[in-house]
Amino acid sequence: MSTKKIKRALVSVYYKENLDVILKELHLQGVELLSTGGTYEYITGLGIPARKVEDLTSYPSILGGRVKTLHPRIFGGILARRGHLQDMQQLEEYGIPEIDLVIVDLYPFEKTVAAGATPDEIIEKIDIGGISLIRAAAKNFEDVLIVPSSGFYPQLLELLKDKNGETDLEDRRRFAGWAFMVSSHYDNAIFKYFDKDSPSGVFKESVLSSSLLRYGENPHQQGVFHGDLSDIFVQLHGKAISYNNLVDIDAAISLLSDFEETAFVIIKHTNPCGVAVRSTLRQSYLDALAGDPVSAFGGILAANRPIDQDTAEEINKLFFEILIAPGYEKNALEQLVSKKNRIILQAKPYQLPGRQFKSVLNGIIGQDRDLKKETYEDLKTVTRLEPTLEEKENLLFANIVVKHTKSNAIVLANNKQLLGSGVGQTSRVDALKQAVEKAKTFGFSLKGAVMASDAFFPFADCVEIAHREGIDAIIEPGGSIRDEESVRYCDENGMRMVFTGFRHFKH
């Protein structure tokens, strides 16, 4: 019979929040409750009768609470197949009661690790009894309903009320699936804790939350986000965020994280098309926009300071997809939400993950995130003339921007403003030509500007082109067998060049 009445429930949980509603409903429906330790005290404290597991097993909780429910009289009642004659005869022979519902909330292992607990404290938060109860009840979903965490209390309460304490096979199978999701995630967290010091090379990731997206990169592709966006930002206004939006938001936040001064960035298809650092946010925005007002149309805007009313007035003149900032003045927000589809996000303090992953072919590649941010100490002058302090500031600014630009990439900048960039080109010369054309298109003079390259120059041709356009200072990783040709040309023409020793390819 697929429909079964819940007559007896075992409750063993760590967190008790919102459990009272479930317990009261079970009591109302005449369900006998079994429990242990703190959960038993909580149940009886509500005035609801319960039976101690110790009274059933005739064994107390031992080893400092490590062993409470691990007993045949508990697991027999969970694992017994109700339609299996021999199983039922054994239950009767050993006086083992059937258990129809198991409610578990595991020790908070991940939270304990994240809180910086000691190794001993972390080990003690590896749940043994709870995880065993989950697996046993889920395995026997033909007869038993398993609730594997407090996150599923709402679904249980709905089920209890709608079906008056009865469950069918579809219900139990659905909850069993959730149970193995919870248990596998829990085991994965434990594995990663032990694996971090001596990596095994095994790829294991588990993300419990996910959101369906409108579609993938294109309307004919399905899209989904695995993760919890509420850790990163709060959406204050606008339509649902798309797959492409998320990719661009990631690019914007990554770029902005490298700036400490008041900065504004504009992203289009993951590439910076406007970046500026100024004393005021309004001027940062205006100068970022000036870098490429055509590409900024429909772009992703991001600031590392709260949006004030003056800045909002300027931003409001532009058609854009998304605006990201750590805060908004009240009057500024009122202006910005005037268009219903604009996505307005308030960023939270967040540290980007140290690892990145990408699916390729029939597997996954992983790497450390490029967190290298060059400083003055990284600049090695390789020409006779050394860049001025102002040039060094601009070189470091340009180097940040080129680091976040698709390869092959060239960035031209001056006065901490992006003047032009060449992105995703198949040759570095093409990238430079594109950057020069961009700058000139929007009325910038390149005299006194600086150039940044994400990788070394294989020949001196880019240096020669830069010089003809009036560029005097260059930053690049170095490392070409023909570095000397580029350095020689700079020396012969009064240019300054620094090597960083760090390449910043981005694909």
Side-chain angles (χ1 to χ4, degrees):
M1 184 173 67
S2 65
T3 300
K4 296 182 180 293
K5 182 73 173 177
I6 297 173
K7 299 176 182 178
R8 185 176 293 107
L10 171 63
V11 186
S12 179
V13 302
Y14 186 85
Y15 289 118
K16 314 298 190 294
E17 287 83 358
N18 303 316
L19 180 63
D20 56 335
V21 181
I22 301 293
L23 295 171
K24 290 173 183 177
E25 184 63 30
L26 290 171
H27 178 58
L28 186 65
Q29 295 185 9
V31 177
E32 179 188 352
L33 300 178
L34 299 172
S35 194
T36 62
T39 306
Y40 173 82
E41 298 296 334
Y42 179 79
I43 296 172
T44 55
L46 294 172
I48 298 173
R51 184 180 181 186
K52 288 184 177 181
V53 164
E54 294 93 322
D55 294 340
L56 177 61
T57 63
S58 299
Y59 274 89
S61 172
I62 62 174
L63 307 181
R66 283 189 167 197
V67 180
K68 289 178 287 197
T69 58
L70 296 169
H71 193 280
R73 300 199 77 188
I74 297 298
F75 281 85
I78 296 171
L79 286 165
R81 293 159 290 185
R82 304 326 191 237
H84 196 283
L85 180 60
Q86 187 175 5
D87 283 7
M88 300 311 291
Q89 288 175 339
Q90 288 183 333
L91 288 189
E92 185 176 356
E93 178 182 356
Y94 296 107
I96 299 174
E98 298 174 26
I99 296 174
D100 312 300
L101 168 64
V102 176
I103 302 175
V104 175
D105 191 65
L106 297 169
Y107 290 167
F109 179 82
E110 286 182 282
K111 288 184 178 180
T112 304
V113 172
T118 66
D120 286 346
E121 291 170 331
I122 290 170
I123 295 304
E124 288 308 310
K125 286 299 184 289
I126 297 177
D127 205 313
I128 302 301
I131 206 78
S132 301
L133 290 171
I134 288 174
R135 292 180 64 86
K139 176 177 180 176
N140 200 26
F141 69 88
E142 291 275 355
D143 300 299
V144 179
L145 181 70
I146 172 63
V147 180
S149 83
S150 59
F152 296 99
Y153 288 172
Q155 292 90 330
L156 173 61
L157 186 62
E158 181 182 2
L159 187 64
L160 292 172
K161 289 185 173 182
D162 288 353
K163 297 187 176 181
N164 195 32
E166 291 188 341
T167 66
D168 58 36
L169 184 59
E170 183 181 348
D171 298 325
R172 297 190 295 275
R173 186 181 180 90
R174 183 172 70 255
F175 275 80
W178 292 335
F180 286 118
M181 175 184 72
V182 169
S183 65
S184 63
H185 178 82
Y186 195 80
D187 285 341
N188 184 70
I190 297 170
F191 164 76
K192 291 181 73 174
Y193 171 74
F194 282 95
D195 194 57
K196 70 180 189 302
D197 294 328
S198 301
S200 62
V202 174
F203 178 81
K204 284 185 177 291
E205 287 293 324
S206 177
V207 181
L208 288 178
S209 56
S210 63
S211 306
L212 284 176
L213 304 174
R214 295 201 306 270
Y215 49 79
E217 282 189 284
N218 302 290
H220 64 277
Q221 297 170 269
Q222 292 184 341
V224 62
F225 174 76
H226 298 284
D228 188 355
L229 291 173
S230 65
D231 291 338
I232 314 295
F233 53 71
V234 177
Q235 183 167 354
L236 303 178
H237 181 75
K239 61 186 179 181
I241 296 173
S242 72
Y243 181 102
N244 291 334
N245 289 157
L246 287 174
V247 176
D248 285 334
I249 290 168
D250 179 74
I253 291 176
S254 296
L255 170 57
L256 208 54
S257 68
D258 274 343
F259 288 109
E260 297 175 2
E261 301 170 276
T262 301
F264 206 103
V265 306
I266 303 174
I267 299 290
K268 197 66 172 288
H269 295 300
T270 74
N271 287 300
C273 62
V275 186
V277 169
R278 295 290 181 264
S279 60
T280 68
L281 190 62
R282 177 181 180 274
Q283 199 58 50
S284 293
Y285 166 71
L286 290 174
D287 288 348
L289 178 64
D292 188 346
V294 174
S295 296
F297 184 85
I300 310 301
L301 315 184
N304 61 358
R305 299 289 188 274
I307 304 295
D308 54 69
Q309 187 172 356
D310 289 344
T311 306
E313 286 179 359
E314 297 297 338
I315 293 173
N316 206 38
K317 300 173 185 177
L318 178 72
F319 171 77
F320 62 89
E321 279 273 325
I322 299 173
L323 174 60
I324 313 163
Y328 299 84
E329 290 183 359
K330 182 180 179 182
N331 292 338
L333 186 59
E334 289 174 354
Q335 289 185 70
L336 294 167
V337 300
S338 59
K339 303 290 176 63
K340 68 175 184 178
N341 285 332
R342 284 176 174 171
I343 297 172
I344 308 297
L345 305 177
Q346 182 164 331
K348 296 181 178 181
Y350 181 75
Q351 185 174 356
L352 294 168
R355 295 281 292 171
Q356 294 176 308
F357 302 99
K358 185 177 182 179
S359 62
V360 294
L361 302 175
N362 63 341
I364 293 168
I365 53 176
Q367 66 171 355
D368 296 332
R369 182 180 290 273
D370 186 358
L371 297 175
K372 176 61 182 177
K373 178 184 174 183
E374 283 75 7
T375 65
Y376 291 107
E377 288 71 28
D378 293 310
L379 305 183
K380 177 186 177 183
T381 302
V382 292
T383 50
R384 285 196 297 267
L385 297 177
E386 183 166 343
T388 65
L389 179 59
E390 182 180 358
E391 285 175 332
K392 287 182 178 179
E393 290 179 349
N394 281 316
L395 288 169
L396 290 173
F397 170 88
N399 202 61
I400 289 174
V401 180
V402 84
K403 166 187 166 182
H404 294 274
T405 303
K406 289 291 180 70
S407 302
N408 286 312
I410 293 288
V411 161
L412 307 179
N414 201 358
N415 192 25
K416 295 185 179 179
Q417 178 187 19
L418 173 61
L419 305 183
S421 60
V423 305
Q425 298 300 303
T426 53
S427 81
R428 207 152 294 283
V429 170
D430 286 343
L432 175 53
K433 289 179 178 178
Q434 184 187 56
V436 170
E437 182 181 355
K438 280 267 189 181
K440 289 182 176 180
T441 297
F442 300 114
F444 291 110
S445 168
L446 293 176
K447 186 171 178 58
V450 304
M451 176 171 74
S453 175
D454 63 335
F456 63 65
F457 296 114
F459 304 99
D461 44 9
C462 285
V463 177
E464 296 169 9
I465 296 170
H467 177 244
R468 288 199 299 269
E469 298 296 339
I471 294 166
D472 294 325
I474 299 170
I475 185 170
E476 57 138 317
S480 168
I481 59 173
R482 288 189 168 88
D483 276 345
E484 179 58 33
E485 295 176 15
S486 296
V487 173
R488 186 187 314 118
Y489 184 92
C490 288
D491 282 338
E492 290 172 353
N493 292 276
M495 301 174 70
R496 279 77 70 195
M497 177 179 281
V498 296
F499 287 175
T500 65
F502 294 93
R503 190 182 73 183
H504 290 294
F505 271 167
K506 187 169 185 284
H507 290 86

